Amino acid sequence: MSDTITTGLVSLDAPLGADKAAVIRSLAERVVAQGRATDAERLFDDAWAREEKDETGLPGGIAIPHAKSAAVTTPSLAFARLKPGVDFGAPDGAADLVFLIAAPADAAEAHLAVLSKLARSLMQEDFTSGLRAASSDDDVVAIVQAAIGEREAAVPAAPAAAVAPAASTGLDVDGRPARVVAVTSCATGIAHTFMAADALTAAGKKAGIDLVVEPQGSSGYQALPADVIRNADAVIFATDVDVREPQRFAGKPVVRSGVKRGIEQPDQLIAEAVAAANDPSATRVGGDATAATAAPAETLSWGARIQRILLTGVSYMIPFVAGGGLLIALGFLIGGVNVGDEAFGVIVDNALWALPAGGLAQYLGSVLFVIGVTSMGFLVSALAGYIAFAIADRPGIAPGFVAGAVAVIMNAGFIGGIIGGLLAGFVALWIGRLNAPRWLRGLMPVVIIPLAASIVASGLMILFLGRPIATLMEGLNTWLTGLAATDAIILVGVILGLMMCFDLGGPVNKVAYAFAVAGLGAGSAENPTPYLIMAAVMAAGMVPPLAMALASTVLARNMFPPVERENGKAAWLLGAAFISEGAIPFAAADPLRVIPSMMLGGAVTGALSMAFAVQSLAPHGGIFVLFAISPIWGFLVALAAGTVVSALTVIALKKWIAPKELAEAEARVAVAA
């Protein structure tokens, strides 16, 4: 990005108005006068809307109003040195150095790149003093362009003077300088994020403590090493938005504030963090304390890493499935089982004041059905997009979604989505790690990475992978359809039941669930197999938490410790809602007795569900979507049978398998793993 600022965009010591609105309007008019925007009033409106959300005045006499606007044609930076200064809301008074950052509405990364570079420069005293001492517009342009990377600095910066640690600052923990970690983030993820990071870093150096900051910007972030977090005495969250992966800091004393306080009062924040570290009753970061000491991602095996990536994709996909599936089920409930036959035509050709032949029920049912089908249509794309996101962060989302959409076009199904998401994510990650020239870095996350990763991942899907995967999916569906015409369909129910209960929400469970959901859209009165599969999967997935709830709270309370009895109470609701993970606490404590018991009950439920020809039109919800299940009695009988079998089996195993033998077996399993 060249010539973001020119002499025509600089105003030195000229009166631009008595308030900040007048200053912003004047700078917007200057941008238009230079042919870099088409409508000064539109640009002003967009910048003023941003100003009203959060004032842009900063300590040290600085203000950075900014906006993305459809009126802007060229990313621009206008500057004014004001005499006298104008109040932009900073705590220490008026601003005499004002920057207006104007970017096109579709040039998000360019806007953010300029903001981040400028923001970090504003924390350097030599930069602001140079602007105040500049004698001409050309001097200002040279100083700013050097700061934002558009020209080499005329004079190399002098080495920073060493700052001696404070001899006695009181910022000690256990007789040594405190160790503090911090996270900074703001709504835009650039300006205040990095200014707060630099302010805290400088304040920590001045105070003589060990302080490391993780700025969580809009284009991703470099996570702090696990050992740095583990050894920290306290945490500072100077954020305006949620901290990403907060469980990493679980158990640490914490001080929370808005990001601006990190800029304006870094010394006070550090003092409060050290005080919290020395206070046993201080507020701490919630969550699983073991997460704070977990090994960094780089040490995970490839198998564990792929498992985490796939589960991330599934977790983001489920809201599309759950919401869409329930809407489809409601559409059937209101409009009848044949509502889908004409639903799309009904919503286009009719309205509340021009109802179809079936009346209001058909119209409303069609509306719900179409919304649900639309939501379900994102299933594979969302799965692929968020698999790529788990690998490459935000730059991976777009190529992942595209690869997922291509998988749908190629009839490659959810397996194609998984493969496309993995391809897109790893390609995006590789491209993002390339050492790009400075002028190109701003375009990497928004243009280069999505473009190249989409071409590679989707191109491979179209040219080489899509057809073989589609053939595999077609063969699997044909096989299942053939089984549906014989008694062998019961075997399918057994297999699905075993998969649903094998790892209680883990990869095997999710593969079975994703397979059932992916085929649901192809179900019909003439082809009920997808509905049969969905019912078997849902019923079997409900068995583990319900079985453990039954065993621990009703049948054998004395065999379970108090904490598991409490977990059992919660497991009733989790199981009823089809959340298999409700049984994980029991399986984690006693895997060799719990998991086989759950698999046995799941197999029974899956087999009975198929035997009773139970159909489910909804992909999630458990007993809360009984209106979408038929026959209801068959579903409930299959569920009850599997629950009782699992509960009795786990009780029998706990009673008759010697604890010593079990402990030795579990130790062998742990060593093998």
Side-chain angles (χ1 to χ4, degrees):
M1 187 183 350
S2 62
D3 297 331
T4 303
I5 184 171
T6 65
T7 54
L9 297 172
V10 176
S11 174
L12 289 183
D13 306 328
L16 300 184
D19 57 28
K20 61 181 181 180
V23 173
I24 295 173
R25 180 175 275 107
S26 179
L27 291 176
E29 291 171 351
R30 187 174 288 266
V31 173
V32 172
Q34 295 299 308
R36 306 168 78 93
T38 58
D39 187 339
E41 196 61 29
R42 175 70 179 276
L43 175 55
F44 166 78
D45 289 342
D46 292 333
W48 187 250
R50 174 65 182 85
E51 191 73 25
E52 288 186 314
K53 290 180 182 177
D54 188 12
E55 292 182 311
T56 56
L58 300 168
I62 301 164
I64 50 170
H66 49 278
K68 291 181 287 185
S69 175
V72 178
T73 56
T74 304
S76 303
L77 177 59
F79 169 76
R81 188 173 69 193
L82 304 175
K83 287 187 179 180
V86 170
D87 183 14
F88 272 78
D92 60 348
D96 64 326
L97 301 180
V98 180
F99 294 89
L100 172 66
I101 296 95
D106 58 353
E109 201 58 39
H111 174 67
L112 298 176
V114 172
L115 269 174
S116 63
K117 294 174 184 177
L118 179 65
R120 307 201 85 142
S121 298
L122 289 171
M123 301 306 298
Q124 302 171 11
E125 187 175 346
D126 57 347
F127 176 71
T128 55
S129 61
L131 292 174
R132 289 189 172 99
S135 59
S136 68
D137 297 349
D138 287 324
D139 290 343
V140 170
V141 171
I143 293 170
V144 175
Q145 285 188 338
I148 63 178
E150 291 185 358
R151 72 162 67 178
E152 294 297 325
V155 180
V163 179
S168 178
T169 62
L171 301 179
D172 296 337
V173 175
D174 297 332
R176 54 164 173 75
R179 294 190 289 259
V180 178
V181 293
V183 175
T184 61
S185 63
C186 62
T188 59
I190 294 293
H192 296 93
T193 297
F194 292 99
M195 294 180 76
D198 287 349
L200 286 167
T201 300
K205 185 177 180 181
K206 180 181 177 182
I209 70 167
D210 183 2
L211 188 145
V212 185
V213 186
E214 179 184 292
Q216 295 190 349
S218 65
S219 297
Y221 62 99
Q222 184 66 43
L224 293 174
D227 61 327
V228 172
I229 298 175
R230 182 170 56 248
N231 295 327
D233 300 307
V235 181
I236 296 171
F237 288 159
T239 62
D240 289 340
V241 296
D242 290 340
V243 175
R244 304 181 204 178
E245 296 187 282
Q247 70 276 8
R248 295 174 295 147
F249 306 92
K252 295 292 182 182
V254 62
V255 174
R256 301 177 187 269
S257 77
V259 70
K260 270 195 172 182
R261 191 168 178 231
I263 302 171
E264 299 167 357
Q265 300 177 350
D267 297 318
Q268 291 91 324
L269 275 178
I270 290 172
E272 292 172 16
V274 177
N278 290 307
D279 181 3
S281 62
T283 301
R284 295 177 180 269
V285 181
D288 181 5
T290 60
T293 58
E298 290 77 7
T299 65
L300 293 176
S301 67
W302 271 104
R305 187 179 180 194
I306 293 297
Q307 173 180 329
R308 187 177 65 180
I309 288 167
L310 294 179
L311 291 181
T312 298
V314 171
S315 69
Y316 279 103
M317 175 198 76
I318 285 177
F320 291 93
V321 175
L326 288 172
L327 285 167
I328 292 173
L330 287 170
F332 285 130
L333 177 67
I334 295 173
V337 293
N338 296 319
V339 69
D341 297 344
E342 302 177 357
F344 287 89
V346 166
I347 67 165
V348 172
D349 300 331
N350 297 276
L352 285 172
W353 55 90
L355 295 173
L360 182 62
Q362 183 185 6
Y363 182 71
L364 294 180
S366 298
V367 170
L368 293 172
F369 180 87
V370 169
I371 297 173
V373 168
T374 302
S375 178
M376 291 284 287
F378 288 101
L379 187 155
V380 176
S381 293
L383 175 65
Y386 288 108
I387 284 174
F389 166 75
I391 298 169
D393 210 280
R394 286 179 57 181
I397 292 179
F401 265 82
V402 173
V406 168
V408 173
I409 294 172
M410 299 294 293
N411 294 318
F414 78 95
I415 294 179
I418 291 173
I419 294 174
L422 291 171
L423 285 172
F426 283 116
V427 172
L429 180 65
W430 175 73
I431 296 173
R433 289 179 173 176
L434 295 178
N435 188 20
R438 179 180 298 221
W439 60 269
L440 189 59
R441 290 175 192 167
L443 295 175
M444 290 291 287
V446 73
V447 176
I448 306 301
I449 295 176
L451 174 65
S454 295
I455 291 174
V456 174
S458 297
L460 288 173
M461 287 297 299
I462 293 172
L463 296 174
F464 303 106
L465 301 174
R467 289 184 180 277
I469 297 172
T471 301
L472 173 64
M473 294 295 294
E474 183 179 354
L476 184 59
N477 287 326
T478 300
W479 175 65
L480 287 173
T481 302
L483 287 178
T486 70
D487 291 339
I489 190 64
I490 296 176
L491 176 61
V492 177
V494 171
I495 295 171
L496 292 173
L498 292 171
M499 293 178 68
M500 289 300 296
C501 299
F502 175 72
D503 52 2
L504 307 176
V508 176
N509 171 287
K510 290 297 186 286
V511 165
Y513 178 69
F515 173 75
V517 172
L520 196 58
S524 66
E526 294 75 24
N527 178 29
T529 301
Y531 299 148
L532 296 171
I533 291 172
M534 191 71 252
V537 163
M538 187 186 300
M542 295 168 67
V543 165
L546 290 177
M548 295 312 303
L550 179 64
S552 63
T553 66
V554 178
L555 299 181
R557 288 174 52 85
N558 61 322
M559 287 188 177
F560 295 86
V563 65
E564 290 193 347
R565 291 199 292 269
E566 289 300 314
N567 288 336
K569 295 176 183 177
W572 282 113
L573 179 60
L574 295 174
F578 180 34
I579 301 175
S580 304
E581 289 84 348
I584 287 178
F586 301 94
D590 191 0
L592 292 183
R593 286 185 285 201
V594 171
I595 291 179
S597 304
M598 300 305 104
M599 292 177 66
L600 179 59
V604 169
T605 294
L608 289 177
S609 178
M610 290 296 189
F612 297 148
V614 179
Q615 300 182 26
S616 175
L617 305 182
H620 211 287
I623 65 170
F624 300 101
V625 292
L626 286 178
F627 62 83
I629 297 173
S630 175
I632 294 177
W633 68 265
F635 182 85
L636 294 177
V637 169
L639 177 60
T643 298
V644 171
V645 167
S646 285
L648 293 177
T649 303
V650 77
I651 291 171
L653 292 178
K654 283 182 176 290
K655 183 177 181 179
W656 291 322
I657 291 186
K660 180 179 178 181
E661 295 173 0
L662 182 66
E664 292 175 352
E666 290 179 341
R668 289 193 295 271
V669 171
V671 170

